[in-house]
Amino acid sequence: GTYVRFAGLDLTKQIRAVDRTVPIIIYSSARAAQTYKQEALAAGATAITSSPTALINELQLGVTILTTS
């Protein structure tokens, strides 16, 4: 396949165009998480992280929100 630099942000925007409620958590390198955090959040990401612990916490929070809605 072809490398697309901002494929994750593009996908986030496409998902948000269809559904504003589904949680989108981007897991990336520490550098990318820091560099692209504002762009990811502006695109509609719920969170962006490079920390496995933060990722697990976000996933648990998402499950809690989805099961209590």
Side-chain angles (χ1 to χ4, degrees):
T2 304
Y3 174 74
V4 180
R5 184 174 181 168
F6 296 106
L9 295 178
D10 292 341
L11 178 60
T12 298
K13 290 175 187 175
Q14 290 175 13
I15 292 169
R16 283 293 172 243
V18 175
D19 189 339
R20 300 281 315 158
T21 62
V22 65
I24 300 173
I25 303 163
I26 299 174
Y27 184 68
S28 66
S29 69
R31 181 177 177 193
Q34 183 178 20
T35 302
Y36 300 110
K37 180 177 183 174
Q38 294 307 316
E39 289 177 70
L41 296 175
T46 306
I48 180 170
T49 186
S50 62
S51 163
T53 302
L55 176 62
I56 290 168
N57 289 337
E58 289 291 341
L59 291 171
Q60 289 172 339
L61 177 62
V63 168
T64 301
I65 290 170
L66 290 174
T67 58
T68 58
S69 296

